[in-house]
Amino acid sequence: MGEAAPAIESFADGEAWAAACAVRLTDALSAALAETGKAVFAGSGGSTPAPIYRRMARADLDWSRIAVTLIDERYVPETSPESNAALLKQTLLTGPAAAARFVPLFHPAVTVDRAAALAAHVLAAEGGKLDAVLLGMGEDGHICSMFPNSPTLKTLLAPALKPTVLGVPHGRDGAAPGLERLTINLPYLMTARRVVLALTGAAKRAVFEREAAGDPATQPIAALIAAGVPLDVLWTEKA
């Protein structure tokens, strides 16, 4: 495809960075509401997005027409401290945004693959596309639960498959991830109106620059770029 990597937009401090991320995402949701009367937001877990979610939660949107889901989730119930759903509910689904409908990826099922099939079905019922997506990236270059050397990685990065949710086994011999996970695949990101990759710190900036030049078959950042995902990369040294 030969798509060029997006320029990294740098922000002087965490306040400006979080505000810019929130505005990009809420603008995309607003555009979707105006066009179709509904919108779907998919967010990431971890500590990085909390200040972004707190700003988004105050946005003047008709949240009752917005579905909120996750890009990935650990195979644990919301009562677990490892749950991404719990974090999202504490930070985003508050104030005006409490009116949004939460669509979990985790379902209590016998296996992570069965839970993923249930999640895929539920997400497809929301229209099968995402309007705004907030991504983070690990220092190993993973996004969502697309981990280097995972047996599921090639399938997750295959651009020709339909958008779906897949189970991810825990890594062997101490490799990530430590827990089984559920994750959307690359084709779901390809449906998006806007994807914001929120990065902090010099180490992650260097990882992004390295990964962007990598192999789209095995490196998730390179796969995003090659597939033409509408990506905004927002970086600050310290959030």
Side-chain angles (χ1 to χ4, degrees):
M1 294 238 190
E3 297 272 343
I8 299 174
E9 298 175 59
S10 299
F11 293 84
D13 57 57
E15 286 283 313
W17 168 84
C21 290
V23 166
R24 303 287 167 96
L25 295 163
T26 54
D27 280 357
L29 294 173
S30 181
L33 288 172
E35 278 177 36
T36 67
K38 62 191 179 79
V40 181
F41 171 72
S44 65
S47 53
T48 304
I52 300 168
Y53 291 152
R54 289 193 189 100
R55 282 169 176 78
M56 288 179 70
R58 301 195 293 264
D60 183 19
L61 294 172
D62 185 351
W63 287 98
S64 67
R65 293 189 291 148
I66 297 174
V68 169
T69 191
L70 289 156
I71 56 167
D72 70 335
E73 177 62 285
R74 295 177 180 96
Y75 182 47
V76 293
E78 262 177 57
T79 48
S80 165
E82 301 280 352
S83 168
N84 287 342
L87 172 103
L88 203 68
K89 288 190 170 179
Q90 288 155 16
T91 54
L92 176 60
L93 300 176
T94 59
R101 219 160 22 83
F102 181 62
V103 180
L105 293 187
F106 174 81
H107 296 267
V110 178
T111 65
V112 71
D113 293 323
R114 182 74 200 121
L118 291 169
H121 181 74
V122 172
L123 212 49
E126 297 295 337
K129 73 183 288 293
L130 306 172
D131 294 296
V133 180
L134 178 61
L135 292 181
M137 182 194 73
E139 292 200 359
D140 59 1
H142 85 266
I143 55 162
C144 305
S145 283
M146 302 171 181
F147 288 92
N149 307 316
S150 168
T152 55
L153 187 64
K154 272 204 155 48
T155 306
L156 287 168
L157 295 182
L161 298 180
K162 70 181 200 305
T164 192
V165 179
L166 293 171
V168 178
H170 46 71
R172 300 193 188 100
D173 305 322
L179 285 167
E180 291 180 306
R181 295 197 186 195
L182 305 128
T183 185
I184 62 170
N185 63 346
L186 176 67
Y188 248 124
L189 297 172
M190 292 164 65
T191 72
R193 184 181 291 267
R194 173 166 276 165
V195 176
V196 169
L197 177 61
L199 300 176
T200 60
K204 286 195 179 179
R205 185 179 180 123
V207 170
F208 174 82
E209 288 170 343
R210 183 190 75 218
E211 293 285 313
D215 178 358
T218 58
Q219 286 165 273
I221 295 291
L224 285 183
I225 294 162
V229 169
L231 190 62
D232 292 357
V233 185
L234 280 64
W235 176 84
T236 190
E237 177 67 49
K238 191 169 184 296

